[in-house]
Amino acid sequence: MSRLGHMLRVLGWAALVGFRDTLGAVYTVQSWVLGLFVRMVAQVAFFASLGQLLGRQADVEFLLIGNAIMVSTSSSFTVTVATVGERDAGTLPLLVASPTSPLVALMGRGASFVPNGLITSLGALAIVAPLYDVSLPWARLPALLALLTLVTVSTYMTATFLAGFVLRSPGTRRTVSNVARLVMMAFCGVSVPLSVYPEVVRAVAQVLPLTHGLKAIRELFAGAGASDILGDAGLEALVGGGWLLLSLATFRWLADAGRRDGSIVFSTA
Amino acid sequence: MGGPWSGPAVVVEDLVRTFQPKKRPEVVALQGVSLRVDEGEVHGLLGPNGAGKTTLVKILATILLPTSGSATVLGRDVAAEATSVRPLIGIVLGGDRGLYNRLTARQNLRYWAALHKLEPGAGRRRVDALLERMGLTKRADDRVQTYSRGMRQRLHLARALMHDPPVLFLDEPTTGLDPLAARELRAIVGELAGERRTIFLTTHDMAEAEALCQRVTLIDRGRILATETPRALSEMLSRYERVECDGATDEVVADLSALRGVSSVSALGLSTRIEVDSDGVVPEVMRRLVAAGVTSVRVTRPTLEEVYLDLVGRRGMDV
Amino acid sequence: MRALIGAIRLQLQIVVADRGYLNEILTNPFFAVIFLGVVRAAGRRDLTTFAIVAPVLMTLWALSLEISGNVVSADRGVGILELVVATPTRFQTVVFGRVLAVTLLGTVGVVETWLVARIGFGVEVSVHHPGVLAGALAATALAMTGTALVMAGAFVLAGGARTFQNTMNYPIYLLAGVLVPISYLPGWLRPMSRLIFLSWSADLLRDSLQPEPAQDVLRRLSAVLLLGAGGFLIGSIILRLVLHRVRHLGTIGQE
C-alpha cells in the first residue's frame, strides 16, 4: 500500500510540474487558441466537408465524430515528444537513478495533455457540429466525457510505450509520434470504416487504442443501449491496460540499455 | 568596384552605435570611435568583453549599420556602398556558431563558394586548396559536428578566404581554443599577414596582440584609449620601471618609501616591488638596496597586459 | 544564378543530413489511404480524382510551410545569417533557392499517391490531359515557392507569427478547396479562396485527370502564376525590409 501511495505521490507531483510547464512555457491562452485550437477545429471541419462531398448526412456525421474524437487522442502523443525534453533538460538521468520507476514520473509529467485533449475535442465538436447540422446528444454529455477520457488515456498508454523507444533514439521523436497518429487516423475507424480494409488490417486495429472506444462513442451518439456501449468501452480499457503493461515491462529494460551505452545522458543537440 | 586603392585600408571616423533593447535603457556600444588601419597592416583591437569590439567588426563587415559617423574599407563606405565592400572582405566571427553542423566541411565551403559567385569548377578547386591549406583535407568529408574547436576555427578561416579578400576581419579567432590550437591558428594568421593582406583582429589576449599585430588599439566601453605599437604601448609606462627584490628588510623598505620619486613599495609574496614615477630614480633605488645587502634585485618593465589593465583600470573603478 | 544553385544544393544536402521533411513525406501515403478509403466505402468511384489530388497538394503545402518557418530563423539561430548578409549574394536569392529545393522535393508526393492508389486500392490513375497536369504542377511548384517567400518574411518580421505556422494547414486546405471544391463553401468565402493559388491548382489538377475537356486552362494557369509572382514580389520586399531592420536594430544574430 505504501508503495502505491508513493507512486501516486510521484505521479501527482510530476503532473503538477507538467501542468506548470505546459501552462507557462508551452502555451499561453493566445497561442493555444491560435496555434492549436483553430487548427483542430479546421481539421474536423475539413473532414466533415468531405462528408458533404460524398453527399450523405450519415457520412458527414461519421467523419465529423471520428475526427473530433481523434483530436483528443492526438494530444496524448505529445508525451512521446516531451520525454526527449526531459532528457534534454538533464533530469532524465536523475529520474532513472531515483527509486521510483522513471515511467511513473514521465507519465505524470505528460498528464496535462489529457485534459488538453478533452477540452480541444469537445470544443471542436461543439463548434463544428452545428455548422454541418449534426446534433449532439448533450443529455449524454457525462457518458461522452467518460468515454472520451477513456480513449485519451488508453492512447496515452500507447504513447508512453513509444516514449521508451524514442528515449533510445531521440532524433526520431517527431517521426514516431507523427506516424503513430497517422496510423490511428487511418486504421482505427476515424474516417474510413474498417470494413474497407483487408482482414489483417482489421485484426491489427483491434489492439490499437481508440478503435473500440470510438465505436462506443458512435454507439452513444446513435442512441444504442448501455450494454453495447459498455462492452466496447471495456475492450478499450483492456487495450489501454495492455499497453500500460507493455510500457512497464519495456521501460526499465530500455532505461538500463541507455545506462549501458550512455545514450541516457547525452542531449539531442 | 573602382580602381586600385592607395589609402588606408580601413578608416573609421566618429563612429557611434547604440542599441535599444526592449523596455530597457539604451546601450551605447560605440561612442565616437575613430581609427585607421593601413593597407597590409595587422591591427589588433584589444579590450575586455563588452568593450564594443564585436560591434565595430560587425559594422566594418557590413552586418550592422552605424548609428552615426562613418567607416570605409578600401575607400568604400560600409553603409552606403555595402555591396562593393562585401567582395573585398572576409570575416570570422568568434565562437562555435556560423557553420552547418550536420554537413561536411566540404559541403559548407561549397555553399560559400556559391555565395561568393565562384564558377562551379573554380569553386571546387578553391575549396580543395583551402581545405589543404587549413590542414583539413583528411577530414573534409566528415560532418562538422565531429570537429574540434580548433578545426572549426580553421574551417571558418577557410570560408573567410573563399574569395581571396584583401581585408580580413577576425573577431576573437582564438577564444576558447586550447593553447596548441591557438598557436596553430596564429601561425596561419601570420602567414596571411605575410601575403600583404590587411588583418583587423580583435582579442582580449595580450600575448596574441603582441605576437601578431603591428599596431594595437585599446578599446573600453565604446571608447578608444590608445592606438600604438605593442612596443610603444609598453614604453608608455616604461618610465614607470620598477624594481623587484628579495629579502628586503623593514629598514630598507622604510628608507625607500621615503625616497622622492618612489610611488609605492609593496610586498609581492616573498619579494618586494618598488615602483617609481620619475626618471632617474631607479639607479638610486638599486644603490640603496645593494648598500643594505640586498643582492637579488631585478628591474622590470610592464607587460602590455599591465599597460592595458592600468589604462582600463584607471577609468574603470570609479564610475 | 550560381548562388541560386548553391542554395538549392545546400538545402538538398541539409535534407539528406537531417533526414528533414521526413514527416511531411511520410504523411502523404496515409492521407491517400484515408481519402481513397472514404471514397471507396461510400461507393463513389467518381470522386477518386479528388482523393488523389488532395494528398499531393497537402504534401507540397506542408513542406513549404515548414521550410518557410525555418529557412531564416535556423540560419539566424546558428549565426549564419550575418555571414550570408556580408556576401555579395542577395539574401532573397538564397531563401528562394532553398525553398524551391524543398518544393521540388515535394513533387515526390505525386509518386507516393500514385503508388498507394495503384498498390493499395488497385486504382489505375489515368491522366487524360498530360499537358494540363504538367503545366499545373510546374506552375504550382513556382507559386508555392513565391508564397513561401512571403511567409518566410512574415515569420521573421513578426516573431509571433510563427504561432500560425502550424495553424496554416487545415484552414487553408478547407478554404482553398484542396479536397472538397470551393463550391461547397459558403458563398461569401469564395472570393477569399480565389486569392489562394492552391484553389486554382486544385481545380486544374483534378481537371487534368478527368475525361472531359479542360476549360480555360491558360487563364487558370496564369492565375496560379500571377498569385505566385505576387508572393515572390511581396516576399522579396519583406525580406529586404527585414534585413534592413535587423542591421539597423542590431538583432541580426539573435533568435
Side-chain angles (χ1 to χ4, degrees), chain B residues 194-211:
Chain B
E195 296 164 4
R196 292 290 299 158
R197 275 181 229 274
T198 305
I199 298 176
F200 188 71
L201 160 117
T202 79
T203 179
H204 54 235
D205 181 344
M206 205 57 68
E208 179 168 296
E210 274 189 290

Side-chain angles (χ1 to χ4, degrees), chain B residues 133-294:
Chain B
R133 170 157 200 190
M134 296 300 156
L136 294 171
T137 302
K138 274 191 191 141
R139 298 283 308 276
D141 296 305
D142 293 348
R143 287 188 181 198
V144 172
Q145 65 192 9
T146 65
Y147 276 30
S148 68
R149 289 196 73 150
M151 292 166 72
R152 298 170 70 90
Q153 207 56 357
R154 279 180 276 147
L155 183 55
H156 271 304
L157 213 46
R159 173 187 49 71
L161 289 169
M162 185 57 66
H163 49 300
D164 201 12
V167 180
L168 276 177
F169 296 111
L170 311 178
D171 190 16
E172 308 217 342
T174 57
T175 299
L177 299 189
D178 64 68
L180 188 67
R183 202 170 63 189
E184 280 172 5
L185 201 82
R186 277 182 210 125
I188 297 173
V189 174
E191 272 176 40
L192 293 171
E195 296 164 4
R196 292 290 299 158
R197 275 181 229 274
T198 305
I199 298 176
F200 188 71
L201 160 117
T202 79
T203 179
H204 54 235
D205 181 344
M206 205 57 68
E208 179 168 296
E210 274 189 290
L212 288 174
C213 302
Q214 277 121 48
R215 285 193 306 157
V216 177
T217 293
L218 295 182
I219 186 171
D220 182 52
R221 293 173 202 204
R223 277 187 206 284
I224 286 184
L225 306 179
T227 297
E228 292 293 350
T229 61
R231 172 172 293 274
L233 264 183
S234 65
E235 277 171 3
M236 276 173 68
L237 288 201
S238 74
R239 77 188 91 126
Y240 309 126
E241 276 176 337
R242 62 267 173 115
V243 180
E244 284 175 21
C245 61
D246 300 332
T249 58
D250 289 348
E251 290 78 34
V252 74
V253 166
D255 176 40
L256 290 174
S257 299
L259 184 67
R260 185 192 298 269
V262 169
S263 57
S264 78
V265 180
S266 52
L268 208 73
L270 289 176
S271 41
T272 307
R273 171 180 287 180
I274 302 105
E275 297 189 53
V276 302
D277 58 10
S278 51
D279 291 339
V281 187
V282 171
E284 178 60 20
V285 172
M286 305 254 295
R287 201 187 57 72
R288 293 194 187 193
L289 280 171
V290 173
V294 180

Side-chain angles (χ1 to χ4, degrees), chain B residues 17 63 98 100 110 115, chain C residues 2 9 75 78 89 247-248:
Chain B
R17 175 68 219 209
I63 295 169
Y100 291 105
R110 287 292 302 279
L115 292 189
Chain C
R2 263 167 241 143
R9 188 181 53 214
D75 269 14
V78 295
T89 296
R247 284 179 71 202
H248 188 74

Side-chain angles (χ1 to χ4, degrees), chain B residues 17 19 58 61-65 86 91 97-98 100 102-103 107 110-112 114-119 143, chain C residues 2-3 6 9-10 13 17-18 75 77-80 82-83 85-89 94 98 247-250 253:
Chain B
R17 175 68 219 209
F19 295 97
K58 285 188 176 175
T62 77
I63 295 169
L64 281 177
L65 292 166
R86 286 169 186 158
I91 43 179
R97 293 147 51 89
Y100 291 105
R102 306 234 195 179
L103 300 188
Q107 288 172 330
R110 287 292 302 279
Y111 177 55
W112 293 100
L115 292 189
H116 283 289
K117 306 189 174 182
L118 267 62
E119 299 276 2
R143 287 188 181 198
Chain C
R2 263 167 241 143
R9 188 181 53 214
L10 174 88
Q13 286 166 344
D18 280 355
D75 269 14
V78 295
I80 292 176
E82 45 193 358
L83 298 173
V85 167
T87 68
T89 296
V94 174
R98 294 184 58 178
R247 284 179 71 202
H248 188 74
L249 291 178

Side-chain angles (χ1 to χ4, degrees), chain C residues 63-205:
Chain C
L63 279 171
S64 51
L65 258 184
E66 184 67 21
I67 176 74
S68 63
N70 297 338
V71 67
V72 180
S73 65
D75 269 14
R76 199 172 173 181
V78 295
I80 292 176
L81 177 61
E82 45 193 358
L83 298 173
V84 173
V85 167
T87 68
T89 296
R90 286 193 318 166
F91 183 56
Q92 299 93 291
T93 311
V94 174
V95 176
F96 183 76
R98 294 184 58 178
V99 171
L100 185 64
V102 172
T103 310
L104 293 175
L105 190 76
T107 47
V108 80
V110 176
V111 180
E112 290 179 285
T113 310
W114 183 81
L115 283 174
V116 170
R118 185 71 210 274
I119 297 167
F121 290 82
V123 171
E124 196 69 60
V125 184
S126 42
V127 181
H128 290 278
H129 308 286
V132 177
L133 179 71
L137 277 177
T140 301
L142 279 175
M144 196 73 88
T145 311
T147 309
L149 215 61
V150 183
M151 295 191 290
F155 288 144
V156 190
L157 201 58
R162 280 199 76 182
T163 312
F164 293 103
Q165 190 188 342
N166 291 321
T167 311
M168 283 184 39
N169 47 19
Y170 284 99
I172 296 290
Y173 299 153
L174 199 58
L175 199 60
V178 161
L179 174 62
V180 179
I182 60 172
S183 56
Y184 284 79
L185 288 173
W188 57 273
L189 274 176
R190 277 175 235 164
M192 243 160 81
S193 302
R194 283 305 180 200
L195 285 178
I196 307 170
F197 76 94
L198 274 175
S199 69
W200 302 91
S201 300
D203 286 345
L204 275 167
L205 288 172

